[in-house]
Amino acid sequence: MTLIKYSIAAGAVAIIAALTFILLTRYDPTQPYFSSHSYWFAKTADLKDVKRSITPRLSTELAEKGMNLNDPVFLRIFKEEAALEVWKQQGSQYQLFKTYEICSYSGKLGPKLKEGDKQAPEGFYRVSSNQLNPHSVNHLAFNIGFPNSYDRANNRTGSFLMVHGNCLSAGCYAMTDAHMEEIYLLVETAQKGGQRSVPTHIFPFRMTETNMIKHASSEWVPFWENLQEGYSWFEESRTPPRISVSNKSYTFN
C-alpha cells in the first residue's frame, strides 16, 4: 500500500512539473490556447492526403496566373500587417501569387534577441529542404533558419523558429492549418523542382517611407533602415537580392 501511495505521489509530482514547464516556457496570455486551433489540440498532418486534396486546386489557381507549381518561390512576411506573401518566379522576375493572413505571432515589432524571449524574428533567411518538417505536431512546418549569419554576428540566440500551422505562436509565425498546407506544398514542390533554398524575408511592416516615419521613435530604426535596403531592392527589381553580412550589417547585391 505504501508503494502505491508513493507511486501516485510521484506521478502527481511529475504531472505538476510538466505543466509548470509548459506554462513557464510556452504560455503566452495573448495566444488562443483554448480555441480549436491551439497548443492543446495540435496534430500532425497526413502529407499524402494533403497533396491529394490540394494539388489539383492549387495547380489550377497557379495556371490561371500563368504560373507552375514547380516554379521557384519567394516568401515575404510582414508582422504589423499579419501577412505572408508567396511570390512565384516568371522569367527573370517574381510575381505575387497569393497573400495569406498570419493567424498568430508572438512578441512585438522588433527582432528576436535571445532564446526564450518569445519574439518572432525579423531579417533575411533561407529555407532548404532539410528545414521542412512534414511530421510537425503543429500541422506541417518549416524552420526559417534562425539564427542566420547576421544574428550570430550580433550575438542573437534562439532555435526552432518556424512557420507552421495550428494558429499558436511562441516565437514562430503560425498559420491556420489550411493556409499552412498550401504554403508548405508550394515550398516543397519548388524545391523538388530544383530550387535549392527559398528566400524568406521577414519585416516588421511594409517598409514604405510613410511607415518608417510612423515608427521613427522606435529603438529599432537603425536595424529597420538596414532591412529597408533589402525591401526596396525587391520592390524595384522584383528579384530577391543576394544577401551577405559585413560589419554586423546586411549587404545587398
Side-chain angles (χ1 to χ4, degrees), residues 7 10 14 34 82 94 126 134 150 152 177 191 201 204 231 241 248:
S7 297
F34 299 101
Y94 282 75
R126 301 192 72 90
Y150 175 95
R152 291 190 294 271
D177 291 351
Q191 291 178 344
H201 296 184
Y231 172 88
K248 297 185 177 182

Side-chain angles (χ1 to χ4, degrees), residues 98-137:
K98 190 180 288 191
T99 300
Y100 298 89
E101 181 181 359
I102 294 172
C103 189
S104 177
Y105 70 87
S106 62
K108 55 187 178 180
L109 299 186
K112 182 174 184 63
L113 299 180
K114 61 182 179 180
E115 185 84 53
D117 63 6
K118 296 182 181 178
Q119 185 74 358
E122 296 170 7
F124 302 98
Y125 300 91
R126 301 192 72 90
V127 177
S128 56
S129 59
N130 62 3
Q131 291 164 238
L132 301 182
N133 183 6
H135 307 296
S136 171
V137 69

Side-chain angles (χ1 to χ4, degrees), residues 3 20 88 142:
L3 181 59
T20 300
K88 273 284 188 179
F142 53 80

